[in-house]
Amino acid sequence: MQPDRHSKPTKWIKLKQQHWQRHRVLLTSLSVAGFIIILRLSGVLQPLEWAALDQFFRWRPLEPVDKRVVIVGIDEEDINQIGRWPISDAVLAQVLQKLDAAKPRAIGLDIYRNFPVEPGNSQLVKTVKSIPNIIGIERIQDEKWPAVPPPPMLSQPQQVGFNNMIIDSDRKVRRAVLYWWPGDDTTRKSFALQLVLRYLKAEKISIKALAKGSDRLQLGGGILQPLEAHDGAYVAVDAKGYQILANYRGPAGHFLTVSISDVLAGKVPADVFRDRIVLIGSTAVSLKDYLDTPYTGSLISRRQSMSAVEVHANFISQILSLALNERPLIQVWHEPIEKVWILVWSWIGASLSWRVRSPRWSALSIFLAGAGLSGFCYVVFLLGWWLPVVPPLLTLCGSAVAITAYFANLEDELKKSKEFLYTVINTIPDPIFVKNKEHRWVVLNEAYCRFIGYPYEKLIEKLESDFFPAQEAEAFWDQDELVFNSGQGKESEEKFTDAKGFTHLIATKRSLHKDAAGNLFLVGVIRDITERKQIEEDLKRTAAELARSNEELKLSEDRLRHLAYHDTLTGLPNRKLFYERLCQSLERAGINHQMVALLFLDLDGFKCVNDTLGHEIGDLLLKAVSARLTGCLRGSDTVSRLGGDEFTVILPAIPSIPDAEKVADKILTTLSHPFIIEGTTIAVTTSIGISLYPLHAEEIDSLINKADAAMYCAKDLGKNQYHVA
């Protein structure tokens, strides 16, 4: 056998096409990804990334209330009741004394107290000095706010923590500062960190560096690592101090909060404060000590801002959970990995659009890919990682748009090519068609239109399946595919039914052609060979008759199989099919960890109907019962007749026993209505036994026996009811 002289060139052409495709997709991916990365590094995308992070926080299930932190809030009612703001030193001293009596681990005073508020200053000084676990606040001077010194009675550094907040440009607090180096050779700890360290002192846990000179700190079972200037979506952010990303437990109001009035009145049990961190701070709206967080504002609803004292509570809870529960900080990828991540999604967008090509389906595929990307980032966020969402989404869409625009240019070239082809083939007397890779006619000559019997305008851009019988259209499709896939010309013989219904026998020669823009066309030339093939057609008709005979034999086999697996009277599945269906249901339930309910039914008083009205009426009654049972159940349920007046119902994927009981109630109600058989009104009821897999049994026979026994229990209890095994 001589080798095919066209095979090597065809393979070379295919390889060249694949190389061009990879080149185009990669070039587009790199270009779009590079542009988006530049936008990201410029900070343009930073607000969108923040918005995505905020949305993830809102979607995330609320975490349990952290009972280790309690807030003593000073709300509007408290201010009205006390009668002044700021509250006097005497009132504050009373609150601190009552809280100290409950023996909390630490008390945080989130109120500026750098000057006396008479009356009661001496009492407050004495009280504060008698409480060693109290932490006050100070404000370190920064670019926006002047310094506020700590309460003078708290002279030791470990009794004071700064409460400066890092606020992003959209006025939201997404970062917490643990340490600050103000430039006076001192290290200041934050208010939240001081309280946490005081709390952990009882657990014999302290903070320490992982290695000499390292900025990673060990705190209990967790690791602290400072936020860098380009971490997450941040671009050249001011990362002064020792910052971490805030991992809020929930929106405003998520911590246990009691009013200062209730504390003064002794209405709060000591157990609420014992062995906990207690924060005292303002929650009154009029004091405007509120901050925006990721939970503030959304597209659907407007959530309230969070009081500053509750923001501190979130920071405290976050650090405590890191140390004691190993709840990690929100982690981010290094910048090089994020760039690769963006490039990958750019390549996905270009590849999808290249493969799909249709603008509508391309948009759908990009939408699904974008939904998958967002869903993946959300799931990863639940695991404690903040991955870029907006840049990969933009590259995904941008690459898709670029490839779609490229194909739009190809369409323009395609239009010019079709006009040229139409001019050429219209001078040829044989019927000629030109198709694209989607098998649609793009050019037809007048001879082809006359041959098929339809005008050019009706045929163009249509498929053969729109005009030819399915068998013929399928044969044409298969022959076209052979040529498209092999890249070689081919001649074949087919049937061709024209508009008048006359069937021709044709020989079609197909070949491939490509224009300057790379558009691929299949050109087919048709010859009518009907007369020459008439004898062969007769033989084919004979073969078709044989095929029909075989089909009739198959239908006979199907009828016999139906008789073997169904009850001859009711048409319901018989005992054999019932066992098969139950086995299948139990197997699926075992794999999917679901339950299956088996209902065993026996008609009450059916023997009396047979004895008094005859077996013919009894048979009609059984048919009517079968019809009612089938009609009141789901399509996925199986109703079977085991013999006599015994029926079974298989309920696959039933959620619980009450759901099975609802079905049993529905059956009892359905069958309780009288039956009218041959003009005679007949009333029957049924007793139902219920067993569930795997609750009552895991073996099929055991499950059936349990349902059968439960049915007899129902009869013993008075009939017309159900009983669960």
Side-chain angles (χ1 to χ4, degrees):
M1 180 182 294
Q2 294 182 350
D4 188 347
R5 60 189 178 90
H6 296 291
S7 60
K8 289 185 179 180
T10 301
K11 290 180 180 178
W12 182 84
I13 291 173
K14 284 189 173 182
L15 289 173
K16 188 175 180 181
Q17 291 174 348
Q18 293 172 359
H19 173 74
W20 168 248
Q21 175 181 341
R22 287 193 295 267
H23 175 75
R24 170 64 64 175
V25 169
L26 182 59
L27 182 62
T28 302
S29 304
L30 289 171
S31 301
V32 175
F35 177 71
I36 296 300
I37 288 172
I38 291 173
L39 285 181
R40 186 171 188 273
L41 294 178
S42 69
V44 173
L45 304 181
Q46 185 172 250
L48 297 176
E49 282 285 78
W50 288 343
L53 175 66
D54 294 349
Q55 192 60 53
F56 284 169
F57 268 111
R58 298 183 199 112
W59 285 341
R60 186 175 69 176
L62 295 181
E63 298 188 35
V65 174
D66 192 342
K67 297 181 180 179
R68 297 169 298 194
V69 183
V70 180
I71 298 174
V72 176
I74 305 172
D75 57 22
E76 301 289 356
E77 186 176 346
D78 294 328
I79 295 174
N80 293 333
Q81 186 171 342
I82 295 172
R84 61 180 293 184
W85 178 260
I87 61 175
S88 68
D89 290 347
V91 172
L92 187 56
Q94 293 178 39
V95 173
L96 292 174
Q97 290 169 4
K98 288 183 177 292
L99 292 177
D100 183 55
K103 300 188 181 306
R105 287 199 191 181
I107 300 175
L109 186 59
D110 187 26
I111 301 174
Y112 289 123
R113 219 60 175 180
N114 57 319
F115 56 87
V117 182
E118 298 291 355
N121 180 252
S122 60
Q123 180 185 357
L124 177 61
V125 172
K126 182 178 179 181
T127 300
V128 169
K129 289 184 177 180
S130 67
I131 303 175
N133 61 343
I134 189 169
I135 306 294
I137 60 170
E138 66 171 337
R139 183 196 291 150
I140 300 174
Q141 182 174 354
D142 56 22
E143 298 174 354
K144 295 183 179 179
W145 301 99
V148 177
M153 68 284 295
L154 296 174
S155 58
Q156 300 299 320
Q158 63 269 23
Q159 291 184 295
V160 178
F162 64 83
N163 71 335
N164 297 59
M165 295 285 184
I166 302 296
I167 301 176
D168 289 331
S169 59
D170 61 350
R171 304 188 62 78
K172 291 188 179 181
V173 178
R174 298 185 181 88
R175 292 172 282 163
V177 187
L178 305 185
Y179 292 97
W180 199 299
W181 296 274
D184 54 1
D185 296 327
T186 61
T187 298
R188 310 282 185 87
K189 296 185 181 70
S190 71
F191 181 56
L193 182 60
Q194 289 281 37
L195 289 166
V196 169
L197 294 178
R198 185 61 60 93
Y199 183 94
L200 294 177
K201 188 176 181 181
E203 307 287 342
K204 297 182 179 180
I205 295 175
S206 60
I207 196 166
K208 55 186 177 181
L210 280 180
K212 186 176 181 180
S214 173
D215 58 1
R216 301 182 70 203
L217 303 176
Q218 176 81 42
L219 184 62
I223 303 295
L224 285 166
Q225 182 166 342
L227 183 74
E228 300 294 338
H230 292 277
D231 280 352
Y234 288 104
V235 178
V237 69
D238 185 358
K240 61 186 174 183
Y242 195 103
Q243 300 181 25
I244 61 173
L245 288 170
N247 193 359
Y248 291 87
R249 298 186 73 91
H254 196 59
F255 283 85
L256 175 60
T257 303
V258 298
S259 72
I260 197 170
S261 299
D262 288 344
V263 174
L264 289 169
K267 296 180 180 179
V268 184
D271 288 344
V272 173
F273 306 118
R274 185 171 292 116
D275 209 32
R276 291 172 169 80
I277 294 176
V278 181
L279 295 175
I280 305 173
S282 65
T283 57
V285 176
S286 63
L287 299 180
K288 299 181 181 180
D289 193 13
Y290 275 76
L291 298 165
D292 288 344
T293 70
Y295 289 94
T296 304
S298 67
L299 296 176
I300 300 175
S301 63
R302 178 77 182 175
R303 291 183 183 268
Q304 62 180 355
S305 299
M306 187 179 294
S307 64
V309 68
E310 189 170 358
V311 173
H312 286 303
N314 273 281
F315 294 165
I316 293 168
S317 175
Q318 175 179 353
I319 304 171
L320 281 178
S321 299
L322 171 73
L324 299 178
N325 309 120
E326 298 185 10
R327 175 180 181 256
L329 301 177
I330 296 179
Q331 303 175 75
V332 296
W333 276 342
H334 295 300
E335 191 173 350
I337 300 177
E338 292 185 351
K339 290 178 181 177
V340 173
W341 170 252
I342 294 170
L343 176 60
V344 166
W345 283 100
S346 181
W347 177 83
I348 290 174
S351 298
L352 286 176
S353 295
W354 187 279
R355 291 179 181 277
V356 177
R357 300 205 175 194
S358 166
R360 178 170 34 174
W361 291 108
S362 176
L364 177 60
S365 63
I366 294 302
F367 173 78
L368 294 176
L373 165 62
S374 302
F376 174 79
C377 290
Y378 173 66
V379 171
V380 172
F381 173 74
L382 295 180
L383 300 176
W385 286 86
W386 180 20
L387 304 188
V389 181
V390 175
L393 277 176
L394 291 178
T395 55
L396 178 73
C397 298
S399 296
V401 169
I403 294 296
T404 302
Y406 170 73
F407 284 128
N409 179 61
L410 291 184
E411 284 293 325
D412 184 58
E413 293 295 326
L414 176 62
K415 181 179 178 182
K416 297 177 182 178
S417 299
K418 288 193 292 186
E419 292 173 352
F420 173 75
L421 286 171
Y422 181 76
T423 303
V424 173
I425 67 174
N426 223 25
T427 61
I428 302 174
D430 290 327
I432 298 177
F433 61 84
V434 180
K435 297 179 181 177
N436 58 18
K437 290 198 70 174
E438 285 73 41
H439 297 254
R440 295 184 180 275
W441 290 308
V442 293
V443 181
L444 301 169
N445 69 352
E446 294 179 1
Y448 186 89
C449 297
R450 289 194 300 269
F451 189 44
I452 191 174
Y454 291 104
Y456 178 87
E457 293 75 15
K458 189 172 184 179
L459 296 172
I460 202 67
E461 297 295 339
K462 298 294 194 305
L463 296 169
E464 287 164 330
S465 57
D466 298 329
F467 298 93
F468 296 113
Q471 186 177 1
E472 294 181 11
E474 184 178 353
F476 296 151
W477 183 286
D478 291 341
Q479 294 299 327
D480 293 344
E481 276 294 290
L482 287 175
V483 176
F484 275 124
N485 292 333
S486 66
Q488 301 178 22
K490 182 177 177 60
E491 187 168 355
S492 60
E493 297 178 357
E494 302 108 357
K495 287 184 179 180
F496 183 101
T497 302
D498 61 22
K500 296 180 180 179
F502 183 78
T503 301
H504 303 263
L505 298 176
I506 60 171
T508 306
K509 186 173 182 179
R510 294 173 172 84
S511 58
L512 290 180
H513 298 271
K514 185 185 293 186
D515 65 10
N519 294 301
L520 195 64
F521 303 100
L522 184 144
V523 179
V525 181
I526 296 176
R527 286 183 290 111
D528 190 348
I529 56 172
T530 304
E531 294 181 2
R532 182 164 61 87
K533 290 291 183 177
Q534 192 62 51
I535 297 176
E536 294 179 16
E537 285 297 318
D538 292 337
L539 293 175
K540 289 180 181 179
R541 281 194 294 271
T542 303
E545 291 175 0
L546 292 174
R548 284 194 295 272
S549 298
N550 290 335
E551 184 65 24
E552 291 175 359
L553 287 174
K554 185 178 182 302
L555 292 174
S556 298
E557 291 175 359
D558 291 341
R559 284 194 293 270
L560 290 174
R561 176 177 173 81
H562 185 273
L563 291 173
Y565 283 87
H566 291 78
D567 177 49
T568 54
L569 176 63
T570 63
L572 294 176
N574 59 15
R575 187 181 296 272
K576 184 175 182 181
L577 185 53
F578 158 72
Y579 266 84
E580 288 186 8
R581 294 271 179 90
L582 184 56
C583 285
Q584 293 170 0
S585 297
L586 296 188
E587 183 178 354
R588 283 194 296 268
I591 294 172
N592 298 315
H593 305 290
Q594 297 173 331
M595 290 199 296
V596 177
L598 175 62
L599 279 60
F600 210 102
L601 287 69
D602 188 272
L603 298 181
D604 303 323
F606 178 75
K607 185 176 182 302
C608 180
V609 173
N610 266 347
D611 293 341
T612 56
L613 300 177
H615 289 282
E616 183 177 352
I617 296 297
D619 289 346
L620 293 175
L621 176 60
L622 289 175
K623 289 183 178 181
V625 168
S626 302
R628 285 195 187 180
L629 284 174
T630 305
C632 75
L633 295 171
R634 302 175 301 178
S636 59
D637 301 331
T638 299
V639 182
S640 307
R641 182 187 176 215
L642 303 188
D645 59 341
E646 290 184 340
F647 296 86
T648 61
V649 177
I650 302 171
L651 304 176
I654 198 77
S656 61
I657 291 179
D659 294 288
E661 291 176 341
K662 288 181 182 178
V663 176
D665 280 327
K666 186 176 182 181
I667 292 174
L668 291 173
T669 303
T670 301
L671 297 184
S672 65
H673 300 296
F675 293 84
I676 300 177
I677 309 296
E678 297 288 329
T680 302
T681 301
I682 303 173
V684 294
T685 59
T686 184
S687 298
I688 304 175
I690 303 173
S691 64
L692 280 88
Y693 166 89
L695 186 61
H696 299 130
E698 294 186 359
E699 300 295 330
I700 184 170
D701 291 330
S702 236
L703 193 68
I704 294 172
N705 291 336
K706 294 266 187 176
D708 189 22
M711 181 270 292
Y712 281 109
C713 287
K715 282 189 176 291
D716 293 339
L717 292 172
K719 302 180 180 180
N720 192 26
Q721 58 183 290
Y722 64 83
H723 184 76
V724 180

